[in-house]
Amino acid sequence: MKNFILMLSIVVLSSAMVQAHTTSFKDSTKTKNNPIIPDQDNAGLILPKGFGALKVTDAYGKPRHIAVTPEGYIYVKLARLYNGNGIYLLKDNNGDGRVDEGMGFGDYIGTGLALKNGYLYASSDENVYRYKLNNQHEVITPNKPEEIVYGLLNRREHESKSITLDNDGNLYVNIGAYSNSCQVQDRVPESPGMKPCPILDSAGGIWQFKVDQLHQTYGNGVHYASGLRNVVGLDWNTQTNTLFVMQHGRDQLHDNWPNLYTVQQSAELPAECMYEIHKGDNAGWPYIYYDQFQHKKILAPEYGGDGKKTAGEDAINPVIAFPGHLAPDGLLFYTGNMFPEKYKHGAFIAFHGSWNRAPLPQEGYYVVFVPFKNGKPSGEWEVFANGFAGKAPITSARNAHRPCGLAQGPDGSIYVTGDNKGAIYRIIYTGK
Amino acid sequence: MIKKINFIVSGFFLLWLIIAAIPPNQNNGIKASIQRGEKVYNKVCLPCHMADGGGVPNMNPPLIQTSYVLGNKTTLISIVLHGMTDRVAIDGDYYSNNMAPHNDLTDQQIADVLTFIRNSFGNKASAVIPSEVKAIRQKN
């Protein structure tokens, strides 16, 4: 009898243990599907009501553009090598939303990064590469990328080559102009503009290449758009089936033309412009800039302008004109389902932040949202995520987090990189 | 006793030597130069190197404790006179903007602005005087 009781209790106990084991196992799977909890302080960000943020990592150097796979794995391109690597694949292994593991590859620095149809695309400041992915969206041969494009101009001013892809097998690459306003002497007071501007042959525009052809360069590509001084943020809008770009407007109207512009005017002019681009478009740089107060294309002082004369009749108009010098570095059209209806198909723009607005306080250092309907802005732009540079007024760029890259996660959350102090944020909608 | 007097006298003598060695108003001179230099800085250099001298990451270098600001005056003066587009590593980092020549500034203004940056943003280094600027301007 005693023996029987012992046996029974062993059976009961061990079955309880098995039970306990399965429950704890179940629990851990459940956490994987549990909502991600934002950081207590929302990672220092100021967000609209109902949104929260977490710092996903701050351990991988200076992340520029970013993409997220259907599994929630993150790829980032770095501005500086980190442990000898220019790209990282980052994984969260326990489902808490924070990065636990990083795999580095790619021994080149750069900005551009995109995921499409089983490939990862990444750019150096001269070339574009692609990497085949396995069915988990992991790169198969990290040390053997295919070179899609090579030999793009890098004169170390506006050198980053941002990329995006359409749905018809084309790759779009920005080649920034190595100049402020195509002066004979760059940024020298009253130095005139070169006419015609020789830079426009091989830079200051967007080039289109095929995604699946190796070793293309200028001769193989299509000069898709010109007259764009420097574009860092760009995205393919799947609603309109067109390319949208954010141009960095020119600097130093007062420094270089003190008789024509006050410091105040120079701090606010010209606009940072969003353009919708069709093949063959010209946005007018360096001959004109867009004045967001007069709502006009104004002849640049390097080409005889005085702040009032208009020009650029053949140049396209911006879709939206933002305040000057905010430095848009990331553009993302939101197609997710996590955020409230108003955000659907709208544009998020990561502004790196200004250096060029003294004597006014510096501006930017935030992520902006613009609602869109039928491919057109349907309301005013608003600051969506702020606080990257701490409290206003901002006088230092060195000590700020500077938003750069944007990506949408499979759940509809959005990711923002900060490339200065180095951080990746994830913004989620909690409704609370 | 004699020893003590001797000591005091030689002490005074030393002090006199030191005072005599400093040209009159040198300290005031540096202060005034820094003040004038700040005005030049705010007008000409601040748009790129920023109010805190911290520059703009990857774009315009900082002027805080850099080997150029604290180093050789000849190089420093030439940077302001002739600009800098070398794309050399500045204390390990590269910057992608172009600094234009500022040879429209007078010898006095360049001396002042360099004296200002060498004594601001946590920097401490000797003053730059107009004759040093003049010598380098004439060389080229």
Side-chain angles (χ1 to χ4, degrees):
Chain A
M1 183 64 191
K2 241 187 178 173
N3 255 350
F4 176 66
I5 289 178
L6 193 73
M7 277 286 281
L8 191 71
S9 46
I10 284 172
V11 168
V12 168
L13 242 165
S14 50
S15 78
M17 269 164 71
V18 168
Q19 189 89 33
H21 191 88
T22 30
T23 353
S24 79
F25 179 73
K26 259 192 196 142
D27 270 352
S28 85
T29 6
K30 224 173 114 209
T31 15
K32 278 224 144 170
N33 299 324
N34 263 353
I36 305 287
I37 312 291
D39 291 348
Q40 287 233 303
D41 64 346
N42 284 332
L45 302 189
I46 302 150
L47 301 163
K49 199 171 155 23
F51 287 87
L54 52 145
K55 198 175 270 179
V56 168
T57 182
D58 55 9
Y60 293 90
K62 295 170 173 271
R64 295 278 284 173
H65 284 178
I66 176 168
V68 185
T69 74
E71 296 78 11
Y73 302 155
I74 300 169
Y75 283 101
V76 278
K77 188 80 201 72
L78 305 184
R80 294 281 179 270
L81 295 184
Y82 180 79
N83 287 340
N85 302 304
I87 307 176
Y88 266 85
L89 164 58
L90 305 174
K91 291 183 181 176
D92 157 28
N93 292 331
N94 60 5
D96 68 352
R98 279 80 178 167
V99 169
D100 302 305
E101 183 194 337
M103 196 270 282
F105 58 101
D107 59 355
Y108 53 94
I109 59 167
T111 292
L113 192 92
L115 281 169
K116 191 103 187 178
N117 297 340
Y119 283 92
L120 170 74
Y121 295 80
S123 68
S124 68
D125 291 338
E126 300 88 16
N127 305 344
V128 185
Y129 301 97
R130 75 171 185 177
Y131 299 80
K132 193 161 175 47
L133 304 175
N134 65 20
N135 59 9
Q136 294 287 299
H137 297 92
E138 295 157 319
V139 288
I140 297 168
T141 50
N143 299 320
K144 289 208 191 83
E146 296 177 300
E147 182 192 79
I148 304 290
V149 183
Y150 73 95
L152 304 181
L153 203 65
N154 172 8
R155 301 267 303 258
R156 296 194 99 141
E157 183 175 1
H158 305 147
E159 68 275 29
S160 61
K161 304 292 180 286
S162 310
I163 57 175
T164 190
L165 289 88
D166 65 17
N167 291 324
D168 298 310
N170 299 305
L171 167 78
Y172 300 83
V173 186
N174 168 66
I175 306 175
Y178 52 89
S179 171
N180 178 33
S181 192
C182 209
Q183 290 169 286
V184 173
Q185 278 182 289
D186 189 30
R187 296 175 197 265
V188 172
E190 318 213 337
S191 171
M194 291 187 271
K195 207 169 179 177
C197 175
I199 295 172
L200 289 168
D201 288 351
S202 54
I206 307 287
W207 269 257
Q208 184 197 49
F209 298 97
K210 293 277 168 243
V211 290
D212 54 1
Q213 277 175 27
L214 303 186
H215 313 304
Q216 303 166 83
T217 189
Y218 285 102
N220 316 93
V222 175
H223 193 163
Y224 196 75
S226 69
L228 287 160
R229 179 176 174 272
N230 185 33
V231 167
V232 187
L234 76 179
D235 196 16
W236 189 262
N237 184 321
T238 50
Q239 273 211 310
T240 55
N241 210 29
T242 51
L243 177 69
F244 279 71
V245 303
M246 295 293 315
Q247 174 180 242
H248 284 223
R250 57 156 310 149
D251 304 321
Q252 296 184 289
L253 281 167
H254 167 80
D255 297 340
N256 292 347
W257 303 94
N259 299 330
L260 297 174
Y261 296 88
T262 65
V263 274
Q264 184 82 22
Q265 287 172 317
S266 187
E268 296 185 296
L269 288 173
E272 302 286 55
C273 293
M274 176 192 279
Y275 292 106
E276 180 177 10
I277 301 287
H278 297 93
K279 188 171 166 177
D281 277 349
N282 161 31
W285 182 90
Y287 309 110
I288 56 128
Y289 64 82
Y290 193 79
D291 181 323
Q292 70 273 34
F293 302 107
Q294 301 182 62
H295 306 284
K296 281 178 188 157
K297 288 171 286 192
I298 302 292
L299 186 65
E302 289 79 8
Y303 293 91
D306 58 1
K308 292 184 199 73
K309 279 184 220 157
T310 59
E313 287 70 26
D314 56 342
I316 56 174
N317 277 309
V319 175
I320 311 173
F322 292 94
H325 314 303
L326 304 192
D329 274 3
L331 172 64
L332 172 79
F333 284 100
Y334 187 72
T335 56
N337 293 318
M338 177 193 258
F339 293 1
E341 188 55 32
K342 116 174 192 194
Y343 293 95
K344 192 90 180 200
H345 303 302
F348 286 99
I349 299 142
F351 283 103
H352 207 213
S354 69
W355 52 276
N356 204 336
R357 284 176 72 90
L360 302 181
Q362 301 302 329
E363 266 286 320
Y365 305 89
Y366 44 52
V367 177
V368 152
F369 175 73
V370 192
F372 267 67
K373 245 202 174 81
N374 305 320
K376 300 240 173 327
S378 59
E380 292 296 305
W381 63 273
E382 58 191 67
V383 175
F384 174 72
N386 206 345
F388 292 91
K391 286 201 178 69
I394 303 163
T395 51
S396 166
R398 177 189 177 86
N399 295 318
H401 281 289
R402 308 189 74 191
C404 178
L406 293 170
Q408 186 180 305
D411 64 347
S413 54
I414 69 168
Y415 292 74
V416 185
T417 65
D419 68 345
N420 181 32
K421 294 205 283 184
I424 302 175
Y425 303 84
R426 178 170 173 187
I427 301 174
I428 59 181
Y429 184 70
T430 60
K432 280 182 231 140
Chain B
M1 183 64 188
I2 292 196
K3 240 185 173 174
K4 208 171 175 186
I5 288 174
N6 233 338
F7 185 72
I8 290 168
V9 169
S10 55
F12 270 114
F13 181 68
L14 242 161
L15 201 69
W16 176 81
L17 260 182
I18 291 166
I19 291 168
I22 302 174
N25 276 336
Q26 160 123 24
N27 262 323
N28 280 342
I30 291 186
K31 249 196 206 144
S33 173
I34 290 175
Q35 276 169 8
R36 289 191 304 268
E38 182 173 12
K39 292 212 182 81
V40 178
Y41 182 84
N42 289 348
K43 195 163 170 288
V44 185
C45 325
L46 181 144
C48 294
H49 292 287
M50 308 286 286
D52 65 343
V56 184
N58 308 324
M59 191 168 186
N60 302 319
L63 302 177
I64 302 172
Q65 308 276 332
T66 68
S67 42
Y68 286 94
V69 173
L70 299 178
N72 180 311
K73 287 197 219 173
T74 309
T75 314
L76 191 57
I77 294 166
S78 325
I79 287 174
V80 176
L81 278 173
H82 306 130
M84 186 169 175
T85 55
D86 309 344
R87 302 292 187 275
V88 290
I90 296 170
D91 298 332
D93 253 313
Y94 289 91
Y95 297 88
S96 69
N97 205 351
N98 285 330
M99 174 167 159
H102 290 281
N103 50 12
D104 54 320
L105 299 175
T106 63
D107 294 344
Q108 182 73 54
Q109 285 174 312
I110 292 176
D112 289 343
V113 77
L114 291 177
T115 302
F116 167 74
I117 64 170
R118 280 162 69 89
N119 291 282
S120 308
F121 318 128
N123 301 326
K124 196 94 202 100
S126 60
V128 174
I129 51 173
S131 58
E132 293 172 309
V133 180
K134 190 171 178 196
I136 289 158
R137 200 196 289 266
Q138 278 168 352
K139 252 203 243 156
N140 296 276

PDB file of all heavy atoms in Angstrom, chain A residues 100-117:
ATOM      1  N   ASP A 100      19.027  40.971 -30.538  1.00  0.00           N
ATOM      2  CA  ASP A 100      19.874  40.110 -29.719  1.00  0.00           C
ATOM      3  C   ASP A 100      21.121  39.656 -30.462  1.00  0.00           C
ATOM      4  O   ASP A 100      22.075  39.205 -29.853  1.00  0.00           O
ATOM      5  CB  ASP A 100      19.093  38.851 -29.308  1.00  0.00           C
ATOM      6  CG  ASP A 100      17.829  39.203 -28.554  1.00  0.00           C
ATOM      7  OD1 ASP A 100      17.940  39.925 -27.548  1.00  0.00           O
ATOM      8  OD2 ASP A 100      16.736  38.798 -28.990  1.00  0.00           O
ATOM      9  N   GLU A 101      21.084  39.713 -31.790  1.00  0.00           N
ATOM     10  CA  GLU A 101      22.138  39.087 -32.562  1.00  0.00           C
ATOM     11  C   GLU A 101      22.361  39.863 -33.850  1.00  0.00           C
ATOM     12  O   GLU A 101      21.390  40.282 -34.494  1.00  0.00           O
ATOM     13  CB  GLU A 101      21.668  37.662 -32.896  1.00  0.00           C
ATOM     14  CG  GLU A 101      22.649  36.805 -33.634  1.00  0.00           C
ATOM     15  CD  GLU A 101      21.968  35.550 -34.206  1.00  0.00           C
ATOM     16  OE1 GLU A 101      20.899  35.136 -33.683  1.00  0.00           O
ATOM     17  OE2 GLU A 101      22.490  35.027 -35.183  1.00  0.00           O
ATOM     18  N   GLY A 102      23.630  40.070 -34.212  1.00  0.00           N
ATOM     19  CA  GLY A 102      23.926  40.773 -35.454  1.00  0.00           C
ATOM     20  C   GLY A 102      24.930  40.007 -36.281  1.00  0.00           C
ATOM     21  O   GLY A 102      25.905  39.494 -35.756  1.00  0.00           O
ATOM     22  N   MET A 103      24.685  39.913 -37.583  1.00  0.00           N
ATOM     23  CA  MET A 103      25.623  39.271 -38.481  1.00  0.00           C
ATOM     24  C   MET A 103      26.092  40.318 -39.485  1.00  0.00           C
ATOM     25  O   MET A 103      25.281  40.871 -40.230  1.00  0.00           O
ATOM     26  CB  MET A 103      24.924  38.109 -39.192  1.00  0.00           C
ATOM     27  CG  MET A 103      25.853  37.118 -39.864  1.00  0.00           C
ATOM     28  SD  MET A 103      26.239  37.539 -41.579  1.00  0.00           S
ATOM     29  CE  MET A 103      24.750  37.009 -42.410  1.00  0.00           C
ATOM     30  N   GLY A 104      27.403  40.621 -39.464  1.00  0.00           N
ATOM     31  CA  GLY A 104      27.930  41.669 -40.331  1.00  0.00           C
ATOM     32  C   GLY A 104      28.531  41.108 -41.600  1.00  0.00           C
ATOM     33  O   GLY A 104      29.064  40.007 -41.613  1.00  0.00           O
ATOM     34  N   PHE A 105      28.449  41.883 -42.669  1.00  0.00           N
ATOM     35  CA  PHE A 105      29.111  41.536 -43.933  1.00  0.00           C
ATOM     36  C   PHE A 105      29.220  42.805 -44.775  1.00  0.00           C
ATOM     37  O   PHE A 105      28.778  43.869 -44.359  1.00  0.00           O
ATOM     38  CB  PHE A 105      28.340  40.430 -44.678  1.00  0.00           C
ATOM     39  CG  PHE A 105      26.898  40.775 -45.002  1.00  0.00           C
ATOM     40  CD1 PHE A 105      26.547  41.187 -46.284  1.00  0.00           C
ATOM     41  CD2 PHE A 105      25.907  40.687 -44.034  1.00  0.00           C
ATOM     42  CE1 PHE A 105      25.220  41.510 -46.594  1.00  0.00           C
ATOM     43  CE2 PHE A 105      24.583  41.007 -44.345  1.00  0.00           C
ATOM     44  CZ  PHE A 105      24.249  41.424 -45.617  1.00  0.00           C
ATOM     45  N   GLY A 106      29.850  42.679 -45.963  1.00  0.00           N
ATOM     46  CA  GLY A 106      29.956  43.843 -46.849  1.00  0.00           C
ATOM     47  C   GLY A 106      31.019  44.802 -46.348  1.00  0.00           C
ATOM     48  O   GLY A 106      30.763  45.564 -45.420  1.00  0.00           O
ATOM     49  N   ASP A 107      32.215  44.812 -46.983  1.00  0.00           N
ATOM     50  CA  ASP A 107      33.314  45.613 -46.429  1.00  0.00           C
ATOM     51  C   ASP A 107      33.337  47.011 -47.039  1.00  0.00           C
ATOM     52  O   ASP A 107      34.397  47.556 -47.315  1.00  0.00           O
ATOM     53  CB  ASP A 107      34.642  44.887 -46.665  1.00  0.00           C
ATOM     54  CG  ASP A 107      34.890  44.644 -48.154  1.00  0.00           C
ATOM     55  OD1 ASP A 107      33.978  44.957 -48.960  1.00  0.00           O
ATOM     56  OD2 ASP A 107      35.969  44.162 -48.503  1.00  0.00           O
ATOM     57  N   TYR A 108      32.148  47.597 -47.294  1.00  0.00           N
ATOM     58  CA  TYR A 108      32.102  48.935 -47.875  1.00  0.00           C
ATOM     59  C   TYR A 108      31.058  49.773 -47.152  1.00  0.00           C
ATOM     60  O   TYR A 108      30.032  49.264 -46.703  1.00  0.00           O
ATOM     61  CB  TYR A 108      31.770  48.860 -49.378  1.00  0.00           C
ATOM     62  CG  TYR A 108      30.524  48.057 -49.699  1.00  0.00           C
ATOM     63  CD1 TYR A 108      29.288  48.680 -49.826  1.00  0.00           C
ATOM     64  CD2 TYR A 108      30.584  46.669 -49.832  1.00  0.00           C
ATOM     65  CE1 TYR A 108      28.138  47.945 -50.091  1.00  0.00           C
ATOM     66  CE2 TYR A 108      29.436  45.929 -50.104  1.00  0.00           C
ATOM     67  CZ  TYR A 108      28.223  46.566 -50.231  1.00  0.00           C
ATOM     68  OH  TYR A 108      27.087  45.852 -50.494  1.00  0.00           O
ATOM     69  N   ILE A 109      31.345  51.079 -47.064  1.00  0.00           N
ATOM     70  CA  ILE A 109      30.398  51.992 -46.429  1.00  0.00           C
ATOM     71  C   ILE A 109      29.388  52.463 -47.471  1.00  0.00           C
ATOM     72  O   ILE A 109      29.590  52.251 -48.661  1.00  0.00           O
ATOM     73  CB  ILE A 109      31.109  53.201 -45.799  1.00  0.00           C
ATOM     74  CG1 ILE A 109      31.888  53.977 -46.869  1.00  0.00           C
ATOM     75  CG2 ILE A 109      32.030  52.745 -44.689  1.00  0.00           C
ATOM     76  CD1 ILE A 109      32.363  55.334 -46.401  1.00  0.00           C
ATOM     77  N   GLY A 110      28.324  53.110 -47.046  1.00  0.00           N
ATOM     78  CA  GLY A 110      27.337  53.615 -47.998  1.00  0.00           C
ATOM     79  C   GLY A 110      26.023  53.943 -47.327  1.00  0.00           C
ATOM     80  O   GLY A 110      25.941  54.016 -46.098  1.00  0.00           O
ATOM     81  N   THR A 111      25.001  54.145 -48.152  1.00  0.00           N
ATOM     82  CA  THR A 111      23.690  54.567 -47.637  1.00  0.00           C
ATOM     83  C   THR A 111      22.559  53.666 -48.088  1.00  0.00           C
ATOM     84  O   THR A 111      21.718  53.258 -47.293  1.00  0.00           O
ATOM     85  CB  THR A 111      23.393  56.018 -48.097  1.00  0.00           C
ATOM     86  OG1 THR A 111      24.294  56.897 -47.440  1.00  0.00           O
ATOM     87  CG2 THR A 111      21.968  56.424 -47.748  1.00  0.00           C
ATOM     88  N   GLY A 112      22.513  53.326 -49.390  1.00  0.00           N
ATOM     89  CA  GLY A 112      21.314  52.714 -49.970  1.00  0.00           C
ATOM     90  C   GLY A 112      21.122  51.261 -49.573  1.00  0.00           C
ATOM     91  O   GLY A 112      22.084  50.502 -49.447  1.00  0.00           O
ATOM     92  N   LEU A 113      19.851  50.899 -49.378  1.00  0.00           N
ATOM     93  CA  LEU A 113      19.515  49.518 -49.027  1.00  0.00           C
ATOM     94  C   LEU A 113      18.058  49.275 -49.402  1.00  0.00           C
ATOM     95  O   LEU A 113      17.200  50.113 -49.156  1.00  0.00           O
ATOM     96  CB  LEU A 113      19.700  49.308 -47.526  1.00  0.00           C
ATOM     97  CG  LEU A 113      19.673  47.854 -47.076  1.00  0.00           C
ATOM     98  CD1 LEU A 113      21.093  47.305 -47.073  1.00  0.00           C
ATOM     99  CD2 LEU A 113      19.107  47.735 -45.683  1.00  0.00           C
ATOM    100  N   ALA A 114      17.759  48.122 -50.005  1.00  0.00           N
ATOM    101  CA  ALA A 114      16.367  47.791 -50.345  1.00  0.00           C
ATOM    102  C   ALA A 114      16.221  46.288 -50.451  1.00  0.00           C
ATOM    103  O   ALA A 114      17.170  45.581 -50.792  1.00  0.00           O
ATOM    104  CB  ALA A 114      15.987  48.460 -51.664  1.00  0.00           C
ATOM    105  N   LEU A 115      15.025  45.808 -50.141  1.00  0.00           N
ATOM    106  CA  LEU A 115      14.694  44.379 -50.275  1.00  0.00           C
ATOM    107  C   LEU A 115      13.652  44.253 -51.355  1.00  0.00           C
ATOM    108  O   LEU A 115      12.689  45.031 -51.388  1.00  0.00           O
ATOM    109  CB  LEU A 115      14.077  43.869 -48.975  1.00  0.00           C
ATOM    110  CG  LEU A 115      14.974  43.534 -47.799  1.00  0.00           C
ATOM    111  CD1 LEU A 115      14.116  43.305 -46.570  1.00  0.00           C
ATOM    112  CD2 LEU A 115      15.845  42.316 -48.085  1.00  0.00           C
ATOM    113  N   LYS A 116      13.804  43.279 -52.255  1.00  0.00           N
ATOM    114  CA  LYS A 116      12.770  43.079 -53.270  1.00  0.00           C
ATOM    115  C   LYS A 116      12.910  41.705 -53.898  1.00  0.00           C
ATOM    116  O   LYS A 116      14.010  41.325 -54.303  1.00  0.00           O
ATOM    117  CB  LYS A 116      12.907  44.160 -54.356  1.00  0.00           C
ATOM    118  CG  LYS A 116      11.759  44.219 -55.322  1.00  0.00           C
ATOM    119  CD  LYS A 116      10.875  45.378 -54.967  1.00  0.00           C
ATOM    120  CE  LYS A 116       9.613  45.390 -55.801  1.00  0.00           C
ATOM    121  NZ  LYS A 116       8.746  46.482 -55.413  1.00  0.00           N
ATOM    122  N   ASN A 117      11.817  40.984 -53.980  1.00  0.00           N
ATOM    123  CA  ASN A 117      11.752  39.728 -54.732  1.00  0.00           C
ATOM    124  C   ASN A 117      12.928  38.802 -54.479  1.00  0.00           C
ATOM    125  O   ASN A 117      13.570  38.341 -55.418  1.00  0.00           O
ATOM    126  CB  ASN A 117      11.637  40.024 -56.226  1.00  0.00           C
ATOM    127  CG  ASN A 117      10.359  40.775 -56.551  1.00  0.00           C
ATOM    128  OD1 ASN A 117       9.409  40.743 -55.753  1.00  0.00           O
ATOM    129  ND2 ASN A 117      10.322  41.456 -57.679  1.00  0.00           N
TER     130      ASN A 117
END
